[in-house]
């Protein structure tokens, strides 16, 4: 009986208390947070944003705690009960998974009022990071395309064209999640732009507003560096005169330029020129073996030596040998001495008017020497043909297959240039004639030569031709093509399947039939930059600018040659050679008529200037 009375009294108390509570006519969450003090996985307090209009509670939770059960702390209107996914929460006590999209139910215990919110859970990376910075062409009239740093780093260099260098530009920046950005102290919304003075370093500070972390960046805007030619040295052999016809090749072994040339000794006086080879060691010229190694005194001349390297990187010189009936000869440098390959070549008489061309078969190292046939005169079948000597244990000779049928007045062979691409060898040959003249592309295939194509048939300029390749194995040629009596010197891409030559850029210069054209080009195997050095040609032959060297390169923005730059007052007196090493260093070489000395230049980037 006593127990029953106690139960009735308790129920009466509850009813009385409920009846005595005055409803507040409100239901809802006033605040919602997840505090670091109650949640060890947090590195900072997470304050929720309660939006009564959208009925959402937004929480930005660190990525390290996004999947953890967390203890929220919250306040509500009076008498409200809060639950998530059916779990009734006690503020600061109950742990629960706070999932994006979960419903937060709120029920008023003294009325029929209820409401709910949707959790919006955002992931914070806790990192302050700059995601991108760029100068967009659409915002900057001084730019033709968007410009940005190669990658985001603490210190960045961005390069712009010279006209935009040290100017005011508009920069666009973006940062990571919940990050604020200041550029030179001025707040910028992520994804927005700001004008900056590029005469000074640009300071960027990114702050994670929630994690309270920050990161600093510095941007320096430099100009796109141009290429320039720098003279390294000039050279003439002591005690010698009549330095002539320097040809240059870069060693595949040490990356240094080797130069072969002919000269005569003064005392004792040589009747005929002989060949010497020197190399640039990085600070000075040094001889490669004995100088004048083709003979001395009254020995017959060694004409127009051509410097090259065989498959194994051995230095080699091909020339027209006056000691052997003016026939082709090849010498190799081995163990400190120069020696003939196969003693002497075939003995067939060749013309010494033009230099011999040479290329080694990349598969078996067989040398092929190209030269203009002379024979016994105009009635000889080899007269002015494209004659080929090749060595495979002994010397043999042939006329180049599919070369033009020639005679003394039409289709006369002049000179070649060759290049090796992988295990293939290609040769560009020029013939001067009214119908059979033109530029011919040959390919060495299975030990035999194959004509790929004939280009610009008719009388063509033959003084200087060039052949080269890029790092991808594409083939290029430079030649002076007849255009109604004016010869436009251009760079051409060569289709390796059919030998077709297609012009790539505008003419580097125009020449007349009576003016010697000297030019060469090379392509960097590292960055693909295409450079050319050529002899300037003026209409007025008495002009002091006539025959001086000029330099250009292909502008990557326009795809055309940059404006010509005069290199020096030196007078180009022979073939120009431009060559890259495998690591991207570039050299140019020619003979200066005024001094009679060989000059060597390097081609590289101009000095860098950055804002400080």
């Amino acid at each position: 009986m006593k127990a029953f009375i106690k139960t009735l009294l308790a129920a009466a108390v509850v009813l009385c208390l409920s009846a005595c509570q005055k409803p507040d006519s409100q239901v809802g969450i006033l605040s919602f947070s997840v505090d670091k003090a109650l949640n060890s996985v947090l590195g900072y307090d997470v304050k929720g944003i309660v939006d009564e209009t959208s009925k959402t509670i937004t929480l930005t939770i660190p990525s390290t705690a996004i999947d953890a059960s967390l203890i929220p702390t919250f306040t509500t209107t009076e008498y409200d009960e809060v639950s998530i996914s059916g779990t009734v929460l006690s503020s600061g006590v109950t742990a629960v998974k706070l999932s994006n999209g979960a419903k937060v139910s709120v029920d008023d215990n003294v009325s029929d009022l209820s409401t709910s919110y949707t959790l919006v859970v955002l992931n914070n990376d806790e990192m302050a990071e700059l995601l991108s910075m760029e100068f967009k062409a659409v915002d900057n009239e001084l730019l033709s395309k968007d410009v940005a740093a190669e990658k985001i780093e603490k210190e960045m260099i961005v390069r712009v064209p010279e006209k935009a260098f040290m100017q005011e530009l508009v920069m666009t920046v973006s940062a990571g999640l919940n990050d604020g950005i200041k550029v030179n102290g001025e707040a910028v919304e992520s994804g927005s732009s700001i004008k900056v003075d590029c005469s000074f370093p640009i300071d960027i500070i990114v702050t994670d507003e929630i994690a309270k972390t920050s990161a600093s960046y510095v941007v320096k805007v430099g100009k796109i560096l141009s290429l320039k030619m720098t003279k390294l040295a000039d050279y003439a052999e002591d005690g010698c005169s009549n330095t002539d016809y320097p040809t240059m090749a870069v060693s595949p072994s040490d990356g240094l330029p080797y130069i072969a040339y002919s000269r005569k000794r003064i005392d004792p006086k040589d009747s005929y020129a002989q060949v010497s080879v020197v190399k640039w060691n990085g600070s000075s010229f040094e001889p490669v073996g004995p100088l004048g190694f083709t003979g001395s005194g009254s020995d017959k001349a060694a004409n127009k030596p051509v410097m090259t390297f065989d498959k194994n990187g051995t230095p080699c010189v091909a020339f027209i040998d006056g000691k052997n009936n003016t026939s082709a000869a090849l010498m190799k440098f081995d163990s400190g001495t120069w020696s003939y390959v196969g003693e002497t070549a075939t003995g067939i008489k060749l013309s010494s008017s033009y230099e011999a061309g040479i290329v080694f078969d990349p598969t078996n190292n067989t040398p092929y020497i190209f030269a203009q046939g002379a024979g016994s005169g105009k009635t000889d079948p080899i007269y002015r043909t494209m004659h080929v000597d090749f060595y495979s244990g002994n010397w043999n000779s042939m006329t180049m297959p599919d070369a033009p049928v020639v005679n003394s007045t039409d289709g006369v062979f002049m000179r070649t240039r060759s290049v090796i691409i992988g295990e293939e060898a290609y040769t560009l040959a020029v013939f001067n004639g009214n119908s059979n003249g033109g530029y011919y592309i040959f390919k060495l295939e299975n030990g035999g030569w194959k004509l790929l194509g004939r280009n610009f048939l008719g009388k063509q300029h033959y003084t200087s031709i060039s052949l080269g390749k890029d790092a991808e194995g594409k083939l290029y040629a430079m030649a002076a093509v007849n255009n109604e009596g004016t010869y436009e010197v251009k760079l051409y891409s060569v289709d390796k399947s059919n030998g077709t030559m297609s012009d790539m850029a505008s003419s580097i210069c125009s020449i007349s039939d009576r003016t010697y054209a000297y030019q060469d080009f090379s392509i960097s195997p590292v960055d693909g930059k295409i450079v050319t050095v050529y002899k300037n040609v003026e209409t007025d032959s008495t002009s002091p600018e006539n025959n001086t060297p000029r330099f250009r390169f292909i502008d990557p923005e326009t795809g055309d040659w940059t404006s010509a730059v005069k290199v020096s007052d030196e007078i180009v007196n022979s073939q120009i050679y431009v060559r890259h090493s495998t690591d991207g260093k570039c050299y140019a070489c020619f003979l200066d008529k005024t001094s009679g000395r060989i000059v060597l230049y390097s081609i590289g980037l101009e000095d860098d200037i950055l804002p400080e």
Side-chain angles (χ1 to χ4, degrees), residues 236-243 263-272 297:
E237 189 176 326
D238 292 339
C240 295
S241 64
N242 299 97
T243 300
R263 90 293 186 269
K264 294 181 180 180
R265 288 184 304 175
I266 298 173
D267 184 21
K269 185 176 181 181
D270 281 333
S271 301
Y272 299 97

Side-chain angles (χ1 to χ4, degrees), residues 268-556:
K269 185 176 181 181
D270 281 333
S271 301
Y272 299 97
Q274 303 303 321
V275 175
S276 295
V277 173
V278 294
K279 75 173 182 179
W280 178 254
N281 62 20
S283 59
S284 62
F285 285 104
E286 64 180 52
V288 179
L291 298 173
F293 56 83
T294 56
S296 61
S298 61
D299 285 350
K300 294 293 185 178
N303 296 293
K304 296 182 174 63
V306 176
M307 186 73 224
T308 188
F309 292 87
D310 72 2
K311 177 184 176 181
N312 301 317
T314 303
C316 300
V317 175
F319 53 96
I320 306 300
D321 192 357
K323 293 196 297 182
N324 185 34
N325 194 34
T326 319
S327 62
L330 177 65
M331 298 186 76
K332 285 190 175 184
F333 182 71
D334 189 23
S335 301
T337 61
W338 289 92
S339 58
Y340 280 97
V341 174
E343 294 302 324
T344 57
T346 58
I348 295 174
K349 189 173 183 178
L350 303 173
S351 170
S352 59
S353 298
Y354 305 96
E355 75 280 2
I358 183 169
V359 66
F360 286 86
D361 187 329
T363 63
N364 58 26
N365 216 24
T366 297
Y368 291 85
I369 300 177
F370 311 101
Q372 187 188 79
S376 58
K378 294 183 179 181
T379 59
D380 194 315
I382 74 164
Y383 183 64
R384 294 192 177 179
T385 61
M386 187 175 177
H387 180 80
V388 185
D389 283 331
F390 58 98
Y391 183 81
S392 54
N394 52 64
W395 284 101
N396 295 280
S397 64
M398 64 178 178
T399 298
M400 192 69 157
D402 298 319
V405 177
V406 299
N407 55 47
S408 61
T409 59
D410 191 43
V412 177
F413 168 67
M414 297 298 181
R415 52 167 46 94
T416 64
R417 291 290 185 269
S418 300
V419 70
I420 292 172
I421 300 177
E423 294 192 346
E424 300 173 337
Y426 295 86
T427 292
L428 168 67
V430 58
F431 293 79
N432 186 35
N434 294 320
S435 59
N436 289 326
Y439 301 107
Y440 288 62
I441 302 290
F442 297 91
K443 179 183 179 182
L444 181 61
E445 198 168 63
N446 299 320
W449 287 96
K450 173 185 176 182
L451 175 65
L452 295 182
R454 303 171 172 87
N455 297 276
F456 311 113
L457 296 184
K459 192 172 184 180
Q460 296 299 338
H461 203 288
Y462 55 83
T463 304
S464 189
I465 56 175
S466 302
L467 194 67
K469 64 179 180 180
D470 65 12
E472 298 177 352
K474 295 179 182 177
L475 191 61
Y476 301 84
M478 182 172 279
V481 174
N482 190 355
N483 181 18
E484 298 182 355
T486 299
Y487 295 84
E488 301 290 338
V489 181
K490 285 188 174 183
L491 181 68
Y492 298 88
S493 62
V494 180
D495 188 324
K496 291 190 294 185
S497 64
N498 58 23
T500 303
M501 292 167 55
S502 304
D503 60 322
M504 284 187 57
S506 60
S507 169
I508 62 169
C509 64
S510 298
I511 58 177
S512 71
D513 189 31
R514 295 184 301 274
T515 305
Y516 278 61
Y518 293 136
Q519 79 275 331
D520 197 12
F521 78 97
S522 186
I523 305 175
S524 170
V526 175
D527 58 21
K529 284 189 172 65
I530 304 175
V531 300
T532 183
V533 182
Y534 62 97
K535 183 182 76 170
N536 186 53
V537 178
E538 299 284 338
T539 305
D540 178 7
S541 62
T542 64
S543 170
E545 299 300 300
N546 206 35
N547 301 325
T548 55
R550 293 291 188 274
F551 169 63
R552 288 183 167 186
F553 61 94
I554 295 287
D555 186 333

Side-chain angles (χ1 to χ4, degrees), residues 567-611:
V567 177
S568 70
D569 289 324
E570 293 155 332
I571 302 299
V572 178
N573 194 46
S574 63
Q575 299 283 339
I576 295 171
Y577 283 80
V578 183
R579 298 289 184 269
H580 276 92
S581 62
T582 55
D583 62 359
K585 293 179 181 177
C586 189
Y587 302 92
C589 169
F590 57 87
L591 182 67
D592 174 28
K593 181 178 180 179
T594 303
S595 66
R597 299 174 70 86
I598 300 167
V599 290
L600 179 67
Y601 282 83
S602 66
I603 299 175
L605 293 175
E606 64 181 325
D607 296 334
D608 199 5
I609 300 174
L610 294 172

